[in-house]
Amino acid sequence: MANGGQPVTFLRYPGGKRRMLSFLSEHIPPRDKIRGCYVEPFVGGGAVFLWLQPKRALLSDINCELIDLYKCIRNNPQGIWEAFERIPEGKEAYNQMRKLRHRDLDPVMGAARLLYLNRTCFKGMWRHNGKGQFNVGYGGAARRWVITRQHLDTVAKLLQRVSIEYGDFEPMIDKCKSGDFIFVDPPYRPGMKEQSNAHYVGQQFTFADQQRLALALLRASERGVSWTMTISSHPDILRLYPNYRIIPMPRGTGRTPGVLTSESGEVIILNIK
Ligand SMILES: C[S@@+](CC[C@H](N)C(=O)[O-])C[C@H]1O[C@@H](n2cnc3c(N)ncnc32)[C@H](O)[C@@H]1O
């Protein structure tokens, strides 16, 4: 499955990299060439991890419910699938599920609920209101059964020897050592075209965060860590990376997976040759 075949993505994720895999694969080392750990500090739907299937990995994200979901799939994919199957279909059932609070549910039901909301909400968005309640509208059931029990079993197997952590990117990058490889896919720059990153959980990813990220990646480079990042081609961002290779990224059409057009406004920045 790695480096070819159907990727085993199980989440719909804004900014997910599934459609970019054929292009990205040219700029990510094959798993046998990664001497240390594969690290993804903005894991989201984990498209690159699930495609590459590295031998050792650390996955993290600031979205703690998402991290709970990964941990629960690793431990009990069967239990989640059975609970997911039992959740009724339709807008009313969706609204009932949406009202529940993650922290009030046991881990398996919490994970099944998140998977259900993700598979049936509008465009796979992951947004909360000021009170921390999931507030994306209903999108329909068409994508609910695109995933199967086998998907969850496969993902669980891939997660067996993986560290899964909740938290900000900076400490995750700071603990990387020589020989590790980081795939970096942060929320793109707010401002200009994207005023906010409201489709992600938590606070906005500000320009100060972008600066923090650039410094963390500079420190990582100095320690001999390799990394590849996807990011917006906004000039303010590019100025943060004066000494690295920058490659314009083609755009997935959104309609035909894998078919690429030009002019995405996104780039790959990398410190590997
Ligand atoms: C572009 S998405 C990653 C998509 C992923 N590569 C995929 O293919 O599905 C960016 C992720 O960064 C996370 N994030 C936002 N701020 C963060 C922070 N300060 N530290 C770590 N993760 C953060 C969001 O929760 C979101 O999951």
Side-chain angles (χ1 to χ4, degrees), residues 24-42:
L24 281 174
S25 62
E26 293 169 29
H27 304 289
I28 288 180
R31 65 178 168 197
D32 295 337
K33 291 271 159 62
I34 302 176
R35 277 191 293 117
C37 192
Y38 170 88
V39 179
E40 211 177 320
F42 301 93

Side-chain angles (χ1 to χ4, degrees), residues 101-126:
R101 289 186 310 182
H102 182 72
R103 64 171 179 271
D104 295 338
L105 302 172
D106 68 63
V108 169
M109 193 54 218
R113 170 183 171 268
L114 286 177
L115 194 58
Y116 172 85
L117 292 178
N118 177 266
R119 302 297 321 173
T120 57
C121 74
F122 182 69
K123 291 199 167 173
M125 288 163 78
W126 202 311

Side-chain angles (χ1 to χ4, degrees), residues 230-246:
T230 53
I231 192 76
S232 105
S233 60
H234 193 283
D236 291 350
I237 295 286
L238 301 187
R239 269 194 286 277
L240 298 173
Y241 298 91
N243 299 318
Y244 300 107
R245 202 146 70 94
I246 299 182

Side-chain angles (χ1 to χ4, degrees), residues 9 11-19 21 24 38 40-49 60-64 66 70 126 166-172 183-188 197 199-206 209 212 230:
T9 48
L11 288 173
R12 302 160 68 208
Y13 216 82
K17 291 295 170 287
R18 188 172 65 89
R19 292 198 171 92
L21 287 172
L24 281 174
Y38 170 88
E40 211 177 320
F42 301 93
V43 68
V48 174
F49 162 79
S60 67
D61 200 285
I62 200 104
N63 179 344
C64 57
L66 174 76
Y70 274 99
W126 202 311
Y166 156 72
D168 179 61
F169 65 86
E170 192 171 350
M172 308 299 166
F183 175 64
V184 189
D185 185 20
Y188 287 0
N197 289 293
H199 44 266
Y200 296 122
V201 163
Q203 325 86 318
Q204 284 186 18
F205 201 77
T206 63
D209 292 316
R212 231 165 28 90
T230 53

